[in-house]
Every structure is written in C-alpha cells, then in structure tokens.
Amino acid sequence: MRVRAAVQAPQRLVSETPWTGAVRQSQPAEEPGSTGNVVRLVVAILAILGLTAGLLLLALIGGLSFGMRLFALIGLSAIPLTGIILYVLWLDRWKPQPKIILALCLLWGGVASVILTLFVSLIGEVALYFAGVGAVPDVFGAVVQAPIVEETTKTCLLVVIVLAARRYFEGPLDGLVYGALIGAGFAFTENVLYLGSAWNESTAGLWTTFVLRCLCSPLLHTLFSTCAGVTIGFAARKWPWWGTILMWLPGLFVGICLHALWNGTMTGLGAISPIASIIGLIVLSFILTVCWVVLGLLLRRSERLHTLNMLGDYANTGWLSHAEVDMLGTWKGRRFGRRWAASFPGGNEAMRTMIRTSARLSTTRMRLLAGIGGEKERAIESFQLKEFAAARDRLLAASGSAARQPQ
C-alpha cells in the first residue's frame, strides 16, 4: 500500500537535526475542501441549536414534573457525567477532535436518542395494541426491546459522523470518544428521570438510587455505545464508506447483547433478593468498567504509535527529520518541544501548529495508504505539508532572532 500511496518528495531534504532544515518558503494556500467544511460546520451548528432547544423543552417538562427539585436532580446526575467527560477528553488529548462534534454527540445522547427511544417505544406499543397482542411483558421489554431500541437510536449518529466527517473519525479511539459521550448523555437524562421517580417515593429512595446508578454503575450506557464506535473506527481506517456502515452492525450487536445481559442479570437477581441484586450490580459494573477503561488506555497508546508510524513515511522522504518524528510522535518529545519553543517570541504558537498539523498529516497519510480520497486527498496532504513547513520556518526564524540578540 505504501508503494501505491508514495509520498511526493520535497524540493530539498531536511537535515538530520531536531529543529533545523531547508523547507519550502511558499505560504500555504487555502485548504482543499474548505467550502465543504464550512457547510458541515453550519449543519453541525444548526443541529446543536436544535438539540439545545430540545434540551430546554425536556427541562421545561422536567420542571413541571419535579418543580425546583429538578436542579438538585441535574446536579446529582452531572456528577458521573463530569467524570466521564474528563476521562474522555484526556483520552482525546493526543489528537483532539473538533469540540463541536463532541458537543453534538453529548447532546444527541441526552436529547435526541431519548426522544427517539420514547417515540419508537410508543409506536411499538400502539402497534401491539391494534394487533391484539396487548402490553409487552416487563421482562421482554427490559431484556429485548429496551437494548435494541436504545442502542440503535444512540449509535445511529456514529454512522452519520463517519459518512459526513470521516476525516474526524479515522480510528477506534475516535469511535470510543464519540460513543462514550453519546452514552454519557443518554445516561444523564435517564438518571434525572430515575432519581426524580425515586425522590417522589422517598428521600431514602433518592439516595439509594443515586448510589447504585450514579456511583456504582455510572459507565453502562457509555460502554454499550462505545462498542459500535470502536468497530466503525476500525473500518474507517481502511474500508470504503459502505464498509463503515456494515461495521456498525457487529458493534451494535455487541452493545445490545451487553445491555441485555445487564438488564437480564439485574432482573434475575432482583427476583432472588435485593441484596443479591446489589452485589451483582457492583460486581458486574466493576468488571465492565475495568474493561472500558483498559480499552481506552490501549487505544490511546495505539493512536500515538500510529501517528509515529505514519510520520515516519514523511521522514523517509525528507519532509521531516527522524528526530522531528520522535519529537512529534511521543508525549515526552512534545513536552520538550513546547518548553524549547516557549523561550522564543511566537515560538509556542508555531510549535503548537507543528504538533497539530503533524497529527492531521498522520490521518491524511493513513487515508492515502488505504486508497481513500484520491487526488483530493493528495491536495490536502500537499497543503498540510506546506502548513507544517511554514510553521517550522516561523519557529526557526524566532529561534534565530533570539540567538542574534545581544546578550
């Protein structure tokens, strides 16, 4: 694949030193596809505005149901949500995804997927009524209906993202980040409803529900939604667009099965005794939580190694030095580079641009190796290489000016 997607050679090779090299002097032109990016941005903003309006509507309905207690319910439900968001953002530090997509995922989980779930469930109940079947048994609804409907409505957004903005969905870590935020948003709204219902019965019921749902099992919906995101992310690296849609299905199936396993286990243990249900909840939640956290750490490490590998192609053809690849492809190197650049006027911004652009270059390189994007992708690669070279020029100029200043 590397033969097919060979990197175009620069005019002159970069010397084998960390911060120096002869590079092109031309300023980067407008990035190819920028018009399409603007359209996607406008659509995303409109979607966020619509979801925000839906969130306000849900808040109004919640206010009518719970009154001023709604603020307390939101505060309690926000505790696990805040922890999940912070961990997900930490995982996403190596190559941060657009904050607007992250916000879209969170709002989709907390608003749209909840509304869609209620709507689909209502349609199903009406259809069963007219078919003469009657109400669905509680066990069937919890173990079969709820997992299928909820996981489908939550993760369908992942398919939209990978089709509309594949450049920002290029690996399994991206899928984990997006899926986790969708699940966290869904769990937040669901927790508000469950806590409010428990509070209507008693204050003790409120705190029991808070401990069991928000403290002992906060990552369930996050884990379930992550499954589809990870499988789509693996396909997005090398498969055509239709392959990414197909790979939604196995991840969706795994998420549904885990959701059904959880609901079925809790239902069965609850029939035995409340103590057995609590013990089972803590043990099973601990196992699933450890699996999800470890998966995130492994994918984060894989993302860094993937960047290091892709940038190596540019070093082999002279666009970067191998020392620069070590700097841009490791946490230690990035920290050292920032500290070094911060000692020059304007150097810190230039270094940030180099780090950010190198991460984008690794994604572009991966797409070219997979045969995705064609000539447009090569034009994007050329733009990013020029952008990187221009940032390096600014950094070298800043360091040179500092060296020439009288002591």
Side-chain angles (χ1 to χ4, degrees), residues 230-360:
V230 170
T231 55
I232 292 174
F234 276 115
R237 279 192 167 168
K238 294 184 178 180
W239 290 21
W241 65 268
W242 52 267
T244 59
I245 299 178
L246 290 179
M247 285 302 290
W248 172 47
L249 300 179
L252 175 64
F253 178 75
V254 173
I256 290 173
C257 290
L258 289 176
H259 197 158
L261 172 66
W262 173 267
N263 286 356
T265 301
M266 293 302 101
T267 300
L269 292 177
I272 297 175
S273 71
I275 300 299
S277 177
I278 293 174
I279 294 175
L281 180 146
I282 295 174
V283 172
L284 186 56
S285 175
F286 177 78
I287 294 173
L288 294 177
T289 298
V290 170
C291 291
W292 182 76
V293 171
V294 171
L295 176 63
L297 295 175
L298 293 176
L299 292 180
R300 189 175 189 254
R301 180 178 182 273
S302 175
E303 187 80 8
R304 181 183 63 79
L305 295 177
H306 176 259
T307 300
L308 198 65
N309 186 31
M310 293 297 105
L311 292 180
D313 285 0
Y314 296 111
N316 292 335
T317 51
W319 279 102
L320 283 74
S321 71
H322 286 282
E324 283 178 325
V325 172
D326 291 337
M327 184 274 292
L328 297 167
T330 63
W331 287 110
K332 182 178 180 181
R334 285 185 173 186
R335 287 193 296 269
F336 174 79
R338 288 193 182 99
R339 286 197 300 267
W340 180 83
S343 60
F344 312 120
N348 201 19
E349 178 60 32
M351 179 58 69
R352 282 199 298 265
T353 301
M354 290 174 63
I355 293 174
R356 182 176 63 251
T357 306
S358 66
R360 293 165 56 200

Side-chain angles (χ1 to χ4, degrees), residues 119-185:
F119 178 76
V120 172
S121 299
L122 178 62
I123 293 298
E125 292 179 4
V126 171
L128 291 175
Y129 173 80
F130 283 105
V133 176
V136 176
D138 292 339
V139 174
F140 179 86
V143 179
V144 178
Q145 180 180 346
I148 293 176
V149 175
E150 291 179 10
E151 297 312 313
T152 302
T153 57
K154 285 191 297 181
T155 59
C156 63
L157 177 67
L158 298 173
V159 179
V160 176
I161 294 175
V162 78
L163 293 179
R166 185 167 178 174
R167 177 168 298 280
Y168 304 109
F169 200 149
E170 62 89 23
L173 181 61
D174 297 338
L176 183 145
V177 168
Y178 295 148
L181 290 177
I182 292 173

Side-chain angles (χ1 to χ4, degrees), residues 12 45 62 104 171 191 197 205 207 209 249 257 290 332 378 388 391:
R12 289 181 289 172
I45 292 175
L104 180 62
N191 284 338
S197 177
W207 292 113
T209 303
L249 300 179
C257 290
V290 170
K332 182 178 180 181
R378 288 197 173 277
F388 180 89

Side-chain angles (χ1 to χ4, degrees), residues 51-52 59 118 150-151 161 209 219 223 233 247 259 275 299 318 346-347 364 375 383 395:
L51 291 172
T52 302
L118 295 175
E150 291 179 10
E151 297 312 313
I161 294 175
T209 303
L219 294 172
L223 171 67
M247 285 302 290
H259 197 158
I275 300 299
L299 292 180
T364 302
E375 291 302 319
F383 168 82
L395 182 59

